[in-house]
Amino acid sequence: MDWEAHIERWSRVAVRLADIRECSAEQGTVPKRGAAPSGFFLMTTRGEAEVSLAGTVYRSRAPHVLHGGKDSELAVLPLGSDFACCIVLYTADAQSPEDRAGFRLPYAFTPYALLPLQEKCRTMYRLWQQGASLDKLQAQALFLPFVYELMRQIRKSAMGNSRSNLVTEAIHYIHEHYKEPLTAEGLAGMYNCSASSMARLFKSQIGVGPIDYLIHVRIRKAKQFLQQSEARIQEVAGGVGYADVYYFSRLFKKHTGVSPLQYREDQRKARRNNPFDLSESSIVSPALGYHNDNDSYYQQVEEGEPSMFRLARPVFGAMLLLCTTLILNACQAGGNTETTSPSPASTDSAAESAAAGTRMYEHLNGRTEIPVKPQRVVSLFHLGELMALGVKPVGATTHILNNPLIADKADIVDVGVPPEPEKILALAPDLIVTTAPFAEIVEGGYEALNKIAPTIVVEQYNDPIQDVEMFGDILGKQEEARQWNEAFAAKIAEYKEKIGPYVGPEETFSILNVRPDAIFIYGDTNMGGNILYKYLGLKPTDKVKTDVINGETWEISSEVIDQFVGDRLFLAVNEGSEEQLKVVEKFIQNTPAGKSGKIYNIDFNEFLYSDPISVDQQLDIIVDLLTEGNK
């Protein structure tokens, strides 16, 4: 099916919600065989059923969505009493025969993120059942966001990127629901994980926690409202999710350095003094949305540490600023009629890039034309991968520049977290490389980055061998990548021999991370797990293998430590975890590692990253601990 054409059809045809029903086998409300009165979506939210639609039988197991057109024959046979579904009926005012046929097409889809869809359905259903005209109008307003979320997931899957990234999905949810009373616990619960696990994933992938990022989104929105409207500060506060205007004002000043009123006045002065500013050309103020009625909400949200990032302005504004700077520089040349030439270095780089030509590169967001030999790369996540191949990016994010194991970071511009488009623009990159989460958090998203320079979205493998090979292809450094991987393989072979006399063939290894509010057990991806289990071939405990490496366990309680810890333990303790460590140590004492004293302390910050340069040095640290501690 041509999904782009189908999405285009939804964007141009007038549609409206006709009815919405929640059905379950337990209550006997599942529809029997019959013709659909209108177009519909049937979303299985629990259990399983055989669904006959337009002559085709589907095995619909939650999460699952079916679409059918008006007069399509539909029959649902639950396969158990726990089956439940939501049926959303709609009408489409399609004029052309092609559009009418498109809305009748039956299709099935398995969403990778059910909760955002289910939440919209439940809200629509509740409003629809209340029956008041205003409630039904609000239900109508929620129908298109439901369709948008469904089409977004379908499109992403059609592009071959259906593997759900929890951080990316949570970021998308925050952007849609930043006005609502979100808490760390509530957000984590949406994705069936703990708040500490959610925080760990956020910090490992974008460098800040979910609440810090939520605050960033709200402050950025507030700045936009203050610049583009005459709304009262209380309205602005409510429009970004804060019922308490005084708390909002304090938070705004903390993150921007000025009060909301002073910020608005500063922006007005800047516009009056800038003849190139076009931001007041619009006479329409943005809608601010509803106030947050939860007066105690601000007490539920952790304010977090002072923001480590400055908030970005739109890319267009950055372009105007850059153009203005160039014009002023030209004017300051004392009337000299000669044009200012680029520096020899930049001229040579541009010439080399032009001579090398371009090629099409397929990535998570499609296909993009990139330089064969990029000269000015901005990398939002991968730094060690580039440096391992002899390429120093011109810009990178705070998150990866904080890596203590990577030296020679001079001259790499910190573009912030979240990344600031105008900083990236000022670097004049010829290629931007990002991961999906970082593409989401940039203001304007992937499209904004791609307007600055060709932008590719790549996987976060956390595997130096795969990453080096991938970046060798991206950077035109295939030979350098081959040499690095060969040298790394030789080093692994050498170190396996080196630790042989000190490690028994049946000894088991575990990695524990103690934090002030959580205990994490690591598998074979990072915190040294890739080195122990993948490269050196050492054995995990059975529980680590089944529950962590082959399962989805990350966080554990102190009471089950003895089930995961084997003969040897690598222990990473975060700052501020002294009290938690006292509790953990009592349980470690009863493990084989605790009884034999084979516990190795590793630095959390040194083992946080999984790029080639970091892993190479982590390998040295681990082998030294295993050999020196046994001599």
Side-chain angles (χ1 to χ4, degrees):
M1 183 169 177
D2 187 345
W3 291 113
E4 291 299 328
H6 190 61
I7 293 170
E8 168 65 23
R9 187 175 297 118
W10 276 100
S11 70
R12 68 169 178 263
V13 172
V15 293
R16 63 180 297 273
L17 179 64
D19 194 7
I20 180 167
R21 306 166 188 173
E22 287 189 345
C23 310
S24 70
E26 186 178 10
Q27 296 178 357
T29 53
V30 176
K32 307 300 181 183
R33 183 175 299 274
S38 67
F40 68 91
F41 291 102
L42 187 153
M43 184 171 71
T44 299
T45 56
R46 192 175 69 245
E48 189 174 5
E50 282 188 357
V51 180
S52 175
L53 173 60
T56 301
V57 177
Y58 298 88
R59 189 88 166 204
S60 184
R61 183 177 184 181
H64 194 249
V65 177
L66 286 158
H67 174 269
K70 182 180 180 181
D71 299 326
S72 298
E73 187 176 337
L74 174 68
V76 181
L77 176 62
L79 301 177
S81 60
D82 63 337
F83 173 77
C85 69
C86 179
I87 301 177
V88 182
L89 295 102
Y90 71 90
T91 59
D93 185 15
Q95 301 300 317
S96 71
E98 182 183 1
D99 282 346
R100 286 196 294 271
F103 280 105
R104 289 177 177 270
L105 286 174
Y107 54 84
F109 169 66
T110 300
Y112 55 80
L114 174 66
L115 287 174
L117 293 166
Q118 187 172 334
E119 183 186 63
K120 288 177 173 62
C121 274
R122 285 176 175 170
T123 306
M124 280 191 292
Y125 178 76
R126 175 177 55 81
L127 291 165
W128 196 258
Q129 294 305 307
Q130 287 173 1
S133 299
L134 203 57
D135 293 328
K136 286 200 168 186
L137 180 61
Q138 191 175 358
Q140 290 282 356
L142 287 173
F143 175 60
L144 278 180
F146 167 79
V147 175
Y148 164 78
E149 176 63 23
L150 184 61
M151 293 299 133
R152 183 183 74 87
Q153 293 194 34
I154 286 176
R155 185 176 185 271
K156 193 172 182 181
S157 297
M159 293 169 62
N161 186 27
S162 59
R163 186 166 63 90
S164 176
N165 181 301
L166 185 148
V167 174
T168 303
E169 292 304 315
I171 287 170
H172 181 77
Y173 186 86
I174 288 172
H175 277 264
E176 278 199 332
H177 299 272
Y178 67 90
K179 301 175 187 177
E180 299 173 13
L182 299 178
T183 63
E185 291 75 15
L187 189 64
M190 298 249 342
Y191 297 94
N192 298 316
C193 69
S194 68
S196 53
S197 293
M198 175 74 80
R200 178 190 63 80
L201 289 169
F202 259 76
K203 288 181 180 178
S204 69
Q205 294 189 38
I206 64 173
V208 296
I211 294 303
D212 280 329
Y213 183 68
L214 171 63
I215 293 171
H216 157 73
V217 172
R218 287 174 165 172
I219 297 296
R220 178 169 61 82
K221 291 292 184 182
K223 291 170 76 174
Q224 292 174 356
F225 292 153
L226 290 166
Q227 290 181 60
Q228 301 168 13
S229 79
E230 295 301 320
R232 294 175 300 140
I233 302 304
Q234 186 172 359
E235 289 182 273
V236 174
V240 297
Y242 296 110
D244 188 326
V245 66
Y246 299 106
Y247 176 78
F248 163 72
S249 296
R250 292 196 303 272
L251 190 66
F252 188 92
K253 186 171 183 178
K254 177 180 178 179
H255 287 273
T256 66
V258 295
S259 69
L261 283 173
Q262 186 61 52
Y263 178 82
R264 174 178 276 167
E265 184 58 32
D266 291 346
Q267 293 301 307
R268 285 173 177 168
K269 289 179 181 177
R271 288 197 293 269
R272 285 197 295 267
N273 295 330
N274 183 2
F276 296 96
D277 192 283
L278 304 178
S279 59
E280 291 195 354
S281 61
S282 173
I283 62 173
V284 180
S285 297
L288 289 182
Y290 296 102
H291 284 250
N292 184 340
D293 295 323
N294 184 355
D295 291 334
S296 64
Y297 160 65
Y298 67 91
Q299 297 174 344
Q300 299 175 20
V301 178
E302 299 173 20
E303 190 173 316
E305 296 299 319
S307 175
M308 67 176 71
F309 42 76
R310 289 172 49 240
L311 305 178
R313 295 183 296 275
V315 175
F316 181 65
M319 291 180 177
L320 284 177
L321 178 63
L322 189 59
C323 292
T324 304
T325 304
L326 293 173
I327 292 170
L328 291 176
N329 287 342
C331 292
Q332 291 170 357
N336 191 337
T337 57
E338 294 182 7
T339 58
T340 303
S341 300
S343 66
S346 63
T347 305
D348 292 344
S349 295
E352 289 174 12
S353 182
T358 60
R359 66 186 178 107
M360 297 303 296
Y361 186 83
E362 190 165 342
H363 57 102
L364 296 182
N365 272 45
R367 300 179 76 241
T368 299
E369 187 175 6
I370 68 171
V372 172
K373 295 282 187 180
Q375 303 296 313
R376 298 183 61 80
V377 181
V378 169
S379 176
L380 303 187
F381 183 83
H382 299 88
L383 176 60
E385 291 79 3
L386 275 71
M387 303 281 274
L389 297 173
V391 175
K392 180 184 281 190
V394 295
T397 56
T398 311
H399 175 50
I400 56 175
L401 285 172
N402 284 337
N403 187 339
L405 295 179
I406 296 182
D408 190 24
K409 291 175 281 194
D411 303 323
I412 303 176
V413 174
D414 185 347
V415 299
V417 172
E420 300 180 37
E422 66 268 19
K423 281 189 175 182
I424 299 174
L425 176 69
L427 295 173
D430 59 2
L431 178 65
I432 300 170
V433 185
T434 180
T435 58
F438 267 114
E440 287 280 341
I441 68 173
V442 173
E443 185 176 356
Y446 172 80
E447 290 73 17
L449 290 172
N450 206 34
K451 287 176 182 176
I452 296 173
T455 301
I456 58 175
V457 183
V458 300
E459 288 279 8
Q460 181 182 330
Y461 288 121
N462 291 325
D463 183 329
I465 296 171
Q466 279 186 280
D467 286 332
V468 164
E469 184 177 351
M470 176 174 67
F471 275 90
D473 180 35
I474 292 169
L475 302 170
K477 298 273 187 179
Q478 290 87 348
E479 179 58 24
E480 289 87 342
R482 183 188 64 78
Q483 291 176 4
W484 192 94
N485 277 337
E486 286 182 355
F488 186 67
K491 184 172 183 175
I492 293 295
E494 176 191 344
Y495 277 9
K496 279 185 175 181
E497 279 193 37
K498 187 174 181 179
I499 66 173
Y502 305 104
V503 178
E506 298 304 317
E507 281 191 287
T508 56
F509 290 74
S510 312
I511 305 165
L512 210 60
N513 172 215
V514 180
R515 304 190 186 188
D517 58 347
I519 305 167
F520 288 108
I521 186 80
Y522 280 82
D524 60 353
T525 54
N526 57 349
M527 202 53 62
N530 46 356
I531 296 170
L532 290 176
Y533 306 134
K534 286 184 180 178
Y535 306 138
L536 295 178
L538 301 175
K539 290 182 62 175
T541 64
D542 290 341
K543 193 72 170 172
V544 168
K545 184 176 181 179
T546 57
D547 290 22
V548 186
I549 296 175
N550 297 329
E552 296 183 355
T553 299
W554 281 97
E555 187 176 355
I556 62 173
S557 64
S558 55
E559 291 80 6
V560 298
I561 284 176
D562 61 339
Q563 298 178 29
F564 288 89
V565 174
D567 300 308
R568 304 200 185 202
L569 173 66
F570 284 81
L571 184 64
V573 181
N574 288 44
E575 186 177 349
S577 304
E578 292 78 11
E579 292 304 313
Q580 178 81 296
L581 181 61
K582 290 178 183 177
V583 176
V584 169
E585 284 177 334
K586 294 178 182 178
F587 290 93
I588 290 177
Q589 289 174 2
N590 297 322
T591 67
K595 292 174 182 177
S596 66
K598 293 180 179 179
I599 300 173
Y600 311 96
N601 293 307
I602 58 175
D603 188 317
F604 174 82
N605 293 319
E606 289 183 341
F607 278 76
L608 180 62
Y609 301 88
S610 297
D611 63 272
I613 291 178
S614 298
V615 169
D616 189 64
Q617 294 181 60
Q618 292 163 8
L619 178 60
D620 294 337
I621 294 170
I622 286 176
V623 170
D624 284 345
L625 287 171
L626 290 176
T627 54
E628 291 177 7
N630 287 275
K631 288 179 180 178

